[in-house]
Amino acid sequence: VGTIPADHRFGADASGCLYEVIFDFSGGISHRIFSRAEAFKNIYGQEVVKYTPADCSVTGPCLNNISDIKDTDGNYKLKGRVYHFTGNLNIYDNVDPFELKNGSGNDSGAGLIVVDKDLYVNQDITYEASAPAKLKNLASVGWLVGQNVTVADYVTNISGAFLVTGKANSSGGIDNGVFSSGATSVASLTIQGALVARQFKFERTYRGNNEPAEKIVADGRILLNTPPGFYDVLRTLPTWQFRAPQ
C-alpha cells in the first residue's frame, strides 16, 4: 500500500526548504530548476540547455530536437545538465538507438529532461550496459513532464525516473498527468527506474513466457547517481507497507 499526500513535495530537506523540484497534486513545478540565473546555469550551478527558439540567440545553447543531446562523438551523454523543452517532445532518432551513455572523467552521467507539455516515446530508451569508471559517471536520467507521457505500442524498454505532473486548470483542478503504456497484445513493456503519475493507463494485453504485459523494475540509479532536481528524494518518497492477502 503506498500513500502520497496531497501537495506532496519531492526534493525538500528536513526543514521543508526546496532543493529543486516541487511535485504536487495541485500542478506546481518549481521553475528554479530550469530557469537560467547566470552563465546559462540555474541557481544550483547546473547548466540549463533550453528549447525556446525566441531566446536562443540571447541566452545560450538551445535544443531543436532530442538528438541535440548528443555529444560531439555522436553519443547521448547527459553531463549533469538540465534539458528544458518548452513544448512537446518526441523521442525518436531515425539514425541511432536512444542509448544513454555513461559519463567519463569528471563528467556526470546524470541529467534531467524537462518537458512542459507531452512526451511521446516512439523508441526504446536504454542505458549503456558497461560499468562506469566512477559512480558519478553512471548514466541516470530524470524525466519531468508537465502533461502526459504516451508510449508507442511497439516500444518494449524505457529507462529513467518519470514524474508526470499534469497542470492546473482554471477551475482549480488538474488536467493531464497520465502515463499510457500503449495498447497492444504483441509486446510487453519494461520500465527500468521509477514511475510517478496522476493516472496510469496500463493498456497492454500481451501474454507470453509467463511475463507481465507491463513491468516496472527499480534499478536504483536514481539513488546511485541522482539526476538534478531529485536530490534528497528518499526523505519525500511515498512510504510503502507490504501486507499479506486477506
Side-chain angles (χ1 to χ4, degrees):
V1 178
T3 57
I4 305 178
D7 295 332
H8 193 69
R9 292 184 171 188
F10 286 80
D13 63 15
S15 65
C17 178
L18 292 179
Y19 283 150
E20 332 265 336
V21 173
I22 299 172
F23 172 72
D24 61 37
F25 290 150
S26 62
I29 302 175
S30 172
H31 286 212
R32 289 180 293 176
I33 185 64
F34 54 77
S35 294
R36 287 172 172 158
E38 184 177 356
F40 314 136
K41 296 182 179 181
N42 60 23
I43 63 173
Y44 309 100
Q46 298 149 346
E47 183 177 350
V48 178
V49 186
K50 304 188 76 171
Y51 175 38
T52 311
D55 81 344
C56 277
S57 61
V58 178
T59 56
C62 274
L63 301 161
N64 292 311
N65 53 60
I66 193 63
S67 64
D68 286 347
I69 295 177
K70 288 181 180 178
D71 201 7
T72 53
D73 61 4
N75 291 317
Y76 285 100
K77 295 180 180 179
L78 296 171
K79 293 191 170 183
R81 295 170 176 165
V82 178
Y83 300 90
H84 180 205
F85 290 85
T86 58
N88 299 326
L89 176 60
N90 176 27
I91 301 296
Y92 181 71
D93 185 329
N94 61 1
V95 177
D96 297 311
F98 192 74
E99 180 184 72
L100 295 170
K101 296 289 189 178
N102 297 323
S104 58
N106 290 321
D107 286 339
S108 172
L112 176 67
I113 299 175
V114 180
V115 183
D116 283 1
K117 295 184 178 180
D118 291 324
L119 173 62
Y120 298 97
V121 183
N122 293 306
Q123 184 175 12
D124 282 8
I125 303 170
T126 60
Y127 289 123
E128 178 180 351
S130 60
K134 305 174 185 177
L135 189 57
K136 70 174 293 185
N137 298 147
L138 180 69
S140 177
V141 64
W143 302 90
L144 181 60
V145 182
Q147 292 188 177
N148 301 313
V149 175
T150 302
V151 181
D153 58 8
Y154 51 83
V155 170
T156 58
N157 291 278
I158 62 175
S159 301
F162 292 81
L163 300 182
V164 191
T165 67
K167 291 192 174 182
N169 58 36
S170 58
S171 302
I174 297 292
D175 293 326
N176 314 124
V178 180
F179 179 93
S180 302
S181 66
T184 181
S185 62
V186 299
S188 62
L189 175 66
T190 299
I191 302 164
Q192 297 277 354
L195 178 57
V196 178
R198 287 182 47 78
Q199 182 181 355
F200 302 94
K201 289 186 177 179
F202 292 128
E203 304 167 299
R204 302 200 178 200
T205 55
Y206 170 81
R207 297 177 64 186
N209 301 321
N210 294 317
E211 289 289 325
E214 290 104 351
K215 178 170 62 175
I216 303 173
V217 180
D219 61 6
R221 289 177 187 253
I222 188 176
L223 305 177
L224 292 172
N225 194 19
T226 307
F230 287 54
Y231 295 121
D232 212 22
V233 70
L234 277 178
R235 298 185 186 179
T236 50
L237 280 173
T239 57
W240 296 91
Q241 299 175 348
F242 294 91
R243 299 176 181 172
Q246 301 295 320

